[in-house]
Amino acid sequence: QSIHDDDVSVSSIIALSELDPPPSRSEILRDKWLESLSGKIHFRVGVTVMALIIIDGAFFFFLLVGAQNMCTPRTNCNPRNWWYNFSIQFLNVLFTYLATVSLPWRLSNTAHLFNGSGKHNRSSDAGLDLYGRPTEKIWYHISQSRRRIIVFFLILNSLTQYANQATRIIYYSFELQNVFPGTLWTNLFFMLSMMCAAVAGVLQIHAEMGLRKVHPERFPPTLFETLGEYLTKVRNIRRRTREEGGDEEEPTRDGDVEEDRRKLERGRSFFVRNIHSFFLERRTKPGSVGVVKGTGLHVMYLAFRYLSRIVFVTSKNPICLSQKK
């Protein structure tokens, strides 16, 4: 769950000043904490961290499989071993940052979902936010029991990642982390951390997909669901083309080419509009943080829109199976 979702600023029928009981000091502090983490600086830092994870993760993988020309043998030599240890240490620092910066959101939802019977405890029933007010944010429409399981694994992810970081400090060199007991503790907590994050992510995605399927008008599809739907349409067009064409090679009519182009163009336009909404228009909705023009993701969006016109529209693209030969 992204910590850039401003949970406390979602427009609601009930204003904070009308709450009974009114917000406590701890709730006000929580709101300021979450609001500070949803600003532009933290968002841009988060984008940078994700990019570094991808780059460093690829570098670590290449060193792991020996795809390097620095020395021989390729999987156990210097300076390969030094860079291998540096890459995994840096990767763990990035993971620790993500576990830390998302911890306030995780702790807030944990306190909300496992509250007792105190004066300021708010209802955590499905459809109610941290203040017990009706909200349209899809996270709060997941069942209470499912959300409890998700945040449980998210808290475990943070704790195991901190343990993983501690083992990387203790076994700081390649030699220490490559022999027992360093190899046991560093790999154990790394796997546990990744497994907890994966379980929480799968549970949340599965729950949200179910809600979007039942209430498509309330919860629009995500970027990845739109991409999947578009690719499914492309595959259907290709399958129908093969079925109708059979084994015989028949000349393709100009009308068929144009019809396929129009179908792909409509799909591409819908796909691009969805990405435009995801990257840019989310900024205008209360309680959500999208991408401001001029940031890295906005540039990525513009590059995607330009490339998509080439990939999905050009008649020379292999997707257009009905093109003229």
Side-chain angles (χ1 to χ4, degrees), residues 212-230:
R212 289 189 173 96
K213 186 176 295 184
V214 176
H215 305 288
E217 70 286 348
R218 295 179 64 184
F219 309 115
T222 63
L223 173 65
F224 298 104
E225 290 172 337
T226 303
L227 175 60
E229 182 180 354
Y230 176 78

Side-chain angles (χ1 to χ4, degrees), residues 229-257:
E229 182 180 354
Y230 176 78
L231 294 178
T232 300
K233 291 180 179 179
V234 172
R235 286 194 296 268
N236 291 337
I237 293 175
R238 297 178 66 177
R239 186 174 61 254
R240 286 197 303 269
T241 303
R242 289 195 299 266
E243 292 174 353
E244 294 173 0
D247 297 331
E248 299 180 0
E249 294 187 1
E250 298 180 357
T252 305
R253 295 175 298 178
D254 292 344
D256 295 336
V257 176

